Amino acid sequence: NAFAQPWVENDSSTPHTLRLIYRFESELPVSGAKLALENAKAAAVSLNGQPAGGCDGGDADKCIGTRPLPDIREGENLLEITLPYGRKVDIEACYLLGDFGVSVRGAHCTLTPPVRTLCFGDITRQGLPFYGGNLVYHLKAESHGGPLTLHAPCYRGHLLRLLVDGEDRGAIAFSPYTLTIDGLQPGEHTIDLLYFGNRVNTFGQLHRNDHLQPWWGPDSWRTEGDSWTYEYRFWKQGVLKSPEIWE
C-alpha cells in the first residue's frame, strides 16, 4: 500500500522497450488459441517466430485485450512479447486462452488435451488449475411423484443453480445448502447443477507461500524470501463433495 497510484505520475512517455520471453510445453498441437494481456494493442506478439493477429476483443475486463495466436505446436513453444515501456506502464500477467487442459507439476505447466468430463472434487487437480468460468454437472434422479431435495454442502465457488429437465428451479447459496423441487412426475429426471466459478486461480496470488494467511492487500502480490514460491499455490474450486438427492 506504500506505492504511488498511476494518476500521480505525469510522465506518460515510453522511452524504453521491454522484451518478455515465455517458454511452455504442449502435449498436442492447438489451433485457435489467443493471448490475453494488458496493453494488447501496443504489444508486438509472436509465437515460434510467427506474428500474432491484431487485437480482436477483450477478456474479463476492458483493460485486457486478446490477440489471436498462430498454431501452438507439440513440444516446446516460444512466446515473445515486446512492449513500449515507461513510468506509467504496468506489466501484468498474460494468459493463454484456448481449448486445452493444463497439467501442473511443481513450477512447470504443460498444455494437455481438453477436459471434457469431471468428477466431483477439486478441479485444479483435474486439468483446470487456472479455470475461472462456470461448469455444469450432469446428474439423473428417479422420482416417485413426490418432491426431490438436493443437498450440496461442500463447494468452492459463488453459488449453484439447479436445473431439472432444463427448467431453472433456483439457487443454492446459503446454509443448509439444500433445495427442494416439487411437482415432478414419476420417472427419471435430468438434474443439471450449474456451478458459478470465480477467478481466484486466474488472477490470485498463486506464488504467495503463506497461502493460508487471509491477506488480500496489494502487497500480497509482492512477496519475497520465504513468502515467495515458484511452485503454484491453488485454491480448491468446484463441487468438492458428491451432492445427495433424496425424496
Side-chain angles (χ1 to χ4, degrees):
N1 300 320
F3 60 95
Q5 295 296 316
W7 55 82
V8 176
E9 177 58 60
N10 294 318
D11 182 1
S12 60
S13 65
T14 52
H16 308 290
T17 299
L18 179 67
R19 184 168 174 242
L20 304 171
I21 296 176
Y22 302 89
R23 289 181 172 85
F24 65 93
E25 297 283 334
S26 181
E27 295 181 356
L28 72 167
V30 178
S31 298
K34 296 184 178 185
L35 181 71
L37 73 164
E38 296 195 14
N39 303 309
K41 292 182 179 179
V45 179
S46 67
L47 179 66
N48 300 323
Q50 301 298 313
C55 191
D56 68 346
D59 178 70
D61 69 38
K62 64 182 181 181
C63 294
I64 301 178
T66 53
R67 301 281 298 272
L69 291 174
D71 289 349
I72 295 171
R73 65 193 180 197
E74 183 179 352
E76 185 178 78
N77 291 265
L78 186 69
L79 176 69
E80 184 172 338
I81 304 170
T82 304
L83 281 165
Y85 187 68
R87 294 177 67 89
K88 293 200 73 167
V89 178
D90 288 325
I91 303 303
E92 302 285 355
C94 54
Y95 303 88
L96 280 176
L97 309 178
D99 189 19
F100 51 78
V102 180
S103 171
V104 179
R105 297 175 65 85
H108 302 284
C109 299
T110 302
L111 304 191
T112 63
V115 177
R116 297 291 186 241
T117 59
L118 289 169
C119 299
F120 292 114
D122 184 8
I123 68 171
T124 70
R125 300 188 179 190
Q126 300 183 64
L128 297 177
F130 303 100
Y131 186 68
N134 299 340
L135 301 166
V136 181
Y137 295 87
H138 301 289
L139 312 170
K140 291 187 181 297
E142 188 79 20
S143 170
H144 294 94
L148 288 180
T149 297
L150 185 137
H151 179 52
C154 189
Y155 69 91
R156 292 294 180 270
H158 285 306
L159 59 87
L160 305 173
R161 292 203 73 87
L162 189 63
L163 286 76
V164 179
D165 300 328
E167 181 183 352
D168 189 342
R169 291 301 192 102
I172 296 175
F174 305 106
S175 180
Y177 305 105
T178 60
L179 186 65
T180 298
I181 304 100
D182 296 311
L184 295 179
Q185 297 296 319
E188 186 177 76
H189 296 271
T190 298
I191 309 291
D192 290 334
L193 196 59
L194 175 57
Y195 160 88
F196 287 81
N198 63 66
R199 302 189 192 275
V200 64
N201 287 324
T202 308
F203 297 131
Q205 312 93 315
L206 299 183
H207 298 283
R208 191 184 72 187
N209 199 39
D210 45 355
H211 182 272
L212 297 179
Q213 183 175 348
W215 171 50
W216 291 85
D219 283 346
S220 63
W221 276 267
R222 301 182 180 92
T223 51
E224 59 185 9
D226 291 344
S227 294
W228 163 267
T229 172
Y230 285 98
E231 290 74 28
Y232 291 91
R233 297 289 188 259
F234 297 109
W235 282 263
K236 291 181 179 182
Q237 293 290 283
V239 179
L240 304 179
K241 177 182 182 296
S242 300
E244 300 174 20
I245 301 175
W246 63 78
E247 286 191 293

